[in-house]
Amino acid sequence: MIGTGYVGLTTGACLASLGHSVVCADADPHKVERLGGARVDILEPGLPETVRDALAAGRLEFTGDTAGAVAEAEVVFLCLPTPMGAGGAADLAAVEAVAGVIRDVLPPGCVVVNKSTVPVGTCARVAALLGRADVTVVSNPEFLREGRAVHDFLHPDRIVIGSADPAAARRVAGLYAALDAPLVLTDPASAELTKYAANFFLAMKLSFANNLATLCERFGADIDDVTEGIGRDPRIGPAFLRPGPGWGGSCLPKDTHALLTVCDRSGIDFPLLSATIETNVTHQHRLVARVAASCGRGTDGSLHGLRLALYGLTFKAGTSDLRDSPALAVARLLRERGAGLTAYDPALCEERPDLSDLVDVVADPVRAAEGAAACLVLTEWPELRDLDWAAIAARMTGHEVHDFRNLLDADLLARAGLSWRGIGRPAAPAPVA
């Protein structure tokens, strides 16, 4: 397993839990040392226990020696970052660099598996870089949700394997034999495109839900009732229909942009894809404009001189991941209008110097509201429902709570003297005097 991020560490630890012998290689010696001591820095339910148990059973080890790790491997998984590069294309530098490192040390008959999300044609690209007729490259995209990665690995809804070599595909499929899941065996290009298509479709549903919420506000409808009504149609389904402050995270933004770049380079017009991305950005601007209209100073939408309290910075609850977080995207737009920002997030229990130019992170949710003209809920942490909202109201200079996750109880806030406004929901009762 080359790479110990969310995908590599989860895949390695879970394969070890299924009885396989796994060596995880990473270029970061500090990370290797900590993982070798069963210290997992990723906030992911069940992952620390899975790593600890696999280490104790002797089926999992960590090393900084990538070449040594693959020297006796039967299957090598590439779990490497493929971030958004120039023009939105996926940056394959890490994948290509590792291919050069392992090319001459791979055992004959070894199977190399692309687990990273990569553009169509990457299997062929890696095979060419390896230049080994005795080594097969297979695509096996991951479908892990942060916050549920271990569960998703052990209870997959499908396993997709793309290979031109049926024997190699069967070898990779055998690694998952203990799991009860449908198996999709296909060619490499189809497997690679499946991952991008899935993430694009999910992003499209989220953009749809956010636009639908705007429509509900305009006509006095309730987004919760509307999405329940359409989500019970099995052709649509309820997943990814909850409105929020936009979509983000480590996958959807980079994968939708990468797919759009592939379309542009191939001369394929895909307006639905570009509209999905544009809608997400427009939605975030609309939410910030709403905050400025309700508590800003002047007609230009300025927030200069105002402080706002943000509750939640991670891209979703259950993770400490800030990559392409929609909460941070909204925070940047608020800063552009001049607002001072203080934030509380249950996953960020200490100051974050890397965010100091954008927001002051505090460990006390009440302190976050000190001098705030309004509060914004940006991540759907369940524990935010149980905060001492009366104490928070006492620290604020204003009384508005913009709940961009439709998470809080409007009546409870009203009793605390706060006015609640969600997305796509009817107006809340006035605060109790």
Side-chain angles (χ1 to χ4, degrees):
M1 204 67 53
I2 303 179
T4 59
Y6 272 97
V7 175
L9 186 57
T10 302
T11 302
C14 287
L15 284 174
S17 76
L18 297 179
H20 304 296
S21 295
V22 179
V23 179
C24 291
D26 198 283
D28 184 343
H30 178 67
K31 182 187 287 189
V32 168
E33 180 183 4
R34 289 187 60 78
L35 288 173
R39 296 187 293 276
V40 177
D41 296 322
I42 296 173
L43 179 59
E44 187 63 44
L47 186 56
E49 297 84 356
T50 306
V51 170
R52 181 196 63 216
D53 293 346
L55 283 168
R59 291 193 296 267
L60 179 65
E61 61 179 284
F62 297 92
T63 180
D65 180 7
T66 298
V70 305
E72 298 181 2
E74 298 175 70
V75 180
V76 175
F77 283 82
L78 304 184
C79 304
L80 300 160
T82 54
M84 192 187 307
D91 183 351
L92 297 179
V95 174
E96 293 174 350
V98 166
V101 171
I102 67 175
R103 177 178 54 223
D104 297 329
V105 294
L106 289 169
C110 178
V111 176
V112 174
V113 179
N114 270 339
K115 198 70 173 171
S116 308
T117 302
V118 293
V120 175
T122 302
C123 255
R125 170 68 174 156
V126 171
L129 289 171
L130 293 176
R132 295 278 301 270
D134 59 344
V135 171
T136 304
V137 182
V138 172
S139 175
N140 174 216
E142 55 83 17
F143 300 98
L144 307 178
R145 295 168 293 175
E146 289 188 34
R148 294 179 60 85
V150 173
H151 176 275
D152 288 350
F153 186 97
L154 297 175
H155 304 87
D157 45 32
R158 78 282 204 195
I159 296 169
V160 178
I161 299 173
S163 176
D165 182 344
R170 287 194 297 270
R171 285 179 64 187
V172 176
L175 299 175
Y176 303 99
L179 304 178
D180 182 20
L183 187 62
V184 180
L185 295 178
T186 184
D187 59 273
S190 296
E192 291 164 339
L193 187 55
T194 294
K195 172 65 175 181
Y196 278 114
N199 280 352
F200 161 45
F201 194 84
L202 296 177
M204 182 179 64
K205 286 188 75 173
L206 290 169
S207 284
F208 169 80
N210 286 331
N211 257 13
L212 189 61
T214 302
L215 201 61
C216 287
E217 291 175 11
R218 179 65 58 87
F219 293 111
D222 189 315
I223 186 65
D224 287 354
D225 293 342
V226 174
T227 54
E228 181 181 6
I230 64 175
R232 289 184 178 277
D233 185 328
R235 297 170 298 176
I236 298 173
F240 281 70
L241 285 178
R242 290 187 62 84
W247 45 265
S250 62
C251 293
L252 298 190
K254 75 177 183 68
D255 292 350
T256 50
H257 280 90
L259 182 57
L260 184 60
T261 301
V262 168
C263 291
D264 290 342
R265 292 177 176 176
S266 303
I268 303 297
D269 187 24
F270 208 152
L272 188 60
L273 175 55
S274 56
T276 294
I277 297 171
E278 292 166 7
T279 296
N280 193 49
V281 175
T282 301
H283 175 67
Q284 291 170 338
H285 279 274
R286 186 185 74 82
L287 295 182
V288 169
R290 192 182 90 176
V291 174
S294 65
C295 62
R297 295 174 175 175
T299 58
D300 61 350
S302 171
L303 292 169
H304 284 283
L306 292 180
R307 179 155 292 275
L308 300 174
L310 310 183
Y311 289 89
L313 291 178
T314 59
F315 93 92
K316 62 182 287 188
T319 177
S320 57
D321 198 347
L322 295 170
R323 288 176 292 175
D324 276 308
S325 169
L328 292 181
V330 170
R332 293 187 188 99
L333 295 175
L334 294 168
R335 284 289 292 147
E336 288 176 5
R337 290 179 180 250
L341 306 174
T342 305
Y344 166 77
D345 189 296
L348 309 176
C349 297
E350 57 187 27
E351 294 182 3
R352 293 289 299 256
D354 56 320
L355 298 175
S356 59
D357 290 341
L358 176 64
V359 58
D360 298 322
V361 178
V362 298
D364 179 0
V366 176
R367 180 185 166 198
E370 189 69 49
C375 293
L376 281 66
V377 176
L378 297 174
T379 307
E380 71 283 17
W381 288 102
E383 46 265 63
L384 296 181
R385 297 189 182 101
D386 300 322
L387 297 182
D388 187 344
W389 286 100
I392 288 172
R395 296 289 189 98
M396 295 173 61
T397 59
H399 60 83
E400 295 182 348
V401 175
H402 293 267
D403 185 356
F404 293 152
R405 294 287 187 172
N406 288 348
L407 179 73
L408 306 179
D409 184 327
D411 292 334
L412 184 150
L413 293 184
R415 291 192 293 273
L418 296 169
S419 59
W420 176 91
R421 185 175 179 186
I423 300 180
R425 298 289 310 282
V432 176

